[in-house]
Amino acid sequence: MTHPEPQAEHREIESLDAFDRVVSRGSLAGMRVQSVDLTRRTSVLLATDADGAVFLGCPMEPAAAAKVRADGALVFPPVPDLPFNPYRGSLYTAGELFTGLDSGYAATPDALTYDWFQRTKADGDVFASMLRSIHDDAVSDALAELLVTARVVGVMGGHAMGRGTEAYAGAARLGRSLTRAGFTVATGGGPGAMEAANLGAYAAGHADEMLADALQLLAKAPSFMPSVTDWAQAAFEVRVRWPLGADSVGIPTWFYGHEPPNAFAGHIAKYFANATREDGLLARCDAGVVFLPGAAGTVQEIFDNATPNYYGSRGEPTPMVLVDRAHWTDHLPTWPLLRSLARGRAMESRIALVDSVDEVPGALLRLGTGA
């Protein structure tokens, strides 16, 4: 039997409630069911047409699996003994990645997944490589769904920026001001400047004094070295004391496994492939990107972002704001090269160099108009 193919945006099922709603209409034909536990839906699966459906990592009873295969469905069963779910239908949360932190960071899913990554990338196992690719594609899909209507501003900066410093506090104020202005803050999801911006976004829904108190609390564990456990526990202490913070996005990677994700992003899109992560992060920053002082990684991000702006490969150039004149002209003279690249091109009116984070919102507003 053939069925009209559902439109792509309407055929993904990522929760049991969504599954039940679709089944109530009488058919699973052509649907994509992603990481939904169907072990208690055997009778429904036996009675429902699943022609052309795809089941990705959905636990189900053998009789149900046999029946949907007979209908013409594809079934990709869950993979046992993995510390992560390659077919996940949603982004990570900090609580999920840091489950078991009380027993030490090494016991958490984040650390266990990094250990698995280290083992499997060394032995060249094609099955493991496939699982990593499936996982990263699922994360990209979930990230695109989350940000479909958002105005995203990326905040880039180095992991070495320590808690308790004025630079860290400034990055946090930036994240707060951008969130209060209606932007969705997206960072590389790690420590340092990235954590500070996610913290600021988290603080946006609280009174101003909350951020000052949180910064003081976090300063007792200024870095993720030597103890990721102490560093992360301080962040969760802030979250417990001030719950229900505003949302932001963190996009870290297990490629840099020595850098743990920070706990302040409401949604975490963690990847295995750093190139996929970098491109996905910058491509989604449609309202602009802010570059705080950083080193090689941040310099790379500046020119990863400048290249499509230069060629216009993503349409209109997006604003780029570099923060700290001395850093980007004297210490790492990136600004002169960026300005030279932009000269005479559409991106020329979309780049700016400012002295402090307090100037960033105004610069983004000005650059967004192309003025």
Side-chain angles (χ1 to χ4, degrees):
M1 180 184 296
T2 60
H3 302 267
E5 189 77 0
Q7 293 183 5
E9 65 269 26
H10 300 304
R11 63 181 178 177
E12 292 184 5
I13 299 175
E14 297 167 347
S15 71
L16 197 56
D17 287 344
F19 176 85
D20 290 340
R21 287 195 300 271
V22 171
V23 166
S24 72
R25 300 198 290 266
S27 176
L28 288 167
M31 304 303 292
R32 277 69 174 119
V33 192
Q34 191 171 351
S35 194
V36 179
D37 188 344
L38 300 176
T39 52
R40 296 194 173 196
R41 295 297 188 270
T42 299
S43 60
V44 172
L45 289 167
L46 292 176
T48 305
D49 178 28
D51 180 38
V54 179
F55 295 85
L56 298 167
C58 298
M60 63 180 79
E61 297 296 334
K67 187 268 179 186
V68 298
R69 285 192 179 101
D71 283 350
L74 291 175
V75 178
F76 295 80
V79 181
D81 302 321
L82 279 180
F84 66 96
N85 176 8
Y87 303 111
R88 62 181 304 112
S90 62
L91 299 181
Y92 292 98
T93 65
E96 179 182 1
L97 288 172
F98 285 103
T99 298
L101 182 63
D102 288 344
S103 299
Y105 173 68
T108 65
D110 187 64
L112 294 172
T113 300
Y114 175 62
D115 290 343
W116 176 89
F117 180 35
Q118 289 296 98
R119 292 194 308 272
T120 57
K121 75 176 184 179
D123 64 20
D125 183 358
V126 66
F127 181 57
S129 177
M130 182 190 73
L131 292 175
R132 293 195 297 269
S133 297
I134 291 171
H135 169 274
D136 285 2
D137 190 66
V139 167
S140 290
D141 182 63
L143 184 61
E145 291 171 356
L146 174 73
L147 299 179
V148 65
T149 61
R151 292 190 303 153
V152 182
V153 172
V155 179
M156 310 298 158
H159 69 268
M161 184 183 289
R163 294 168 173 174
T165 64
E166 177 52 37
Y168 185 97
R173 291 194 303 270
L174 173 62
R176 184 176 65 181
S177 64
L178 291 172
T179 303
R180 287 178 174 175
F183 296 107
T184 295
V185 170
T187 79
M194 297 170 280
E195 180 188 55
N198 287 127
L199 166 65
Y202 184 89
H206 292 277
D208 285 357
E209 53 268 24
M210 172 267 177
L211 182 56
D213 292 342
L215 290 168
Q216 186 174 3
L217 191 158
L218 290 170
K220 69 182 184 182
S223 173
F224 64 95
M225 298 180 291
S227 173
V228 175
T229 302
D230 292 346
W231 174 84
Q233 285 178 332
F236 281 104
E237 187 176 344
V238 169
R239 291 182 51 135
V240 169
R241 185 170 172 182
W242 294 281
L244 304 177
D247 267 345
S248 65
V249 178
I251 308 182
T253 173
W254 280 293
F255 182 81
Y256 295 128
H258 63 289
E259 294 182 16
N262 77 72
F264 293 111
H267 308 277
I268 301 175
K270 190 152 192 181
Y271 287 89
F272 289 105
N274 187 52
T276 304
R277 169 250 194 173
E278 291 277 7
D279 185 66
L281 171 56
L282 293 168
R284 288 173 171 84
C285 296
D286 56 350
V289 184
V290 181
F291 298 93
L292 300 174
T298 310
V299 171
Q300 176 183 337
E301 288 163 344
I302 289 172
F303 291 105
D304 280 347
N305 195 51
T307 300
N309 281 346
Y310 180 89
Y311 289 111
S313 56
R314 293 180 185 148
E316 283 291 310
T318 52
M320 298 177 65
V321 181
L322 279 61
V323 181
D324 192 329
R325 192 174 304 272
H327 184 83
W328 295 120
T329 57
D330 298 329
H331 181 60
L332 292 175
T334 303
W335 172 252
L337 177 54
L338 180 64
R339 187 172 55 180
S340 295
L341 279 172
R343 189 171 296 121
R345 306 189 77 89
M347 67 180 286
E348 187 172 14
S349 63
R350 301 294 171 85
I351 64 172
L353 176 66
V354 300
D355 289 308
S356 74
V357 294
D358 297 329
E359 300 174 71
V360 169
L364 283 172
L365 181 63
R366 183 178 72 254
L367 297 180
T369 66

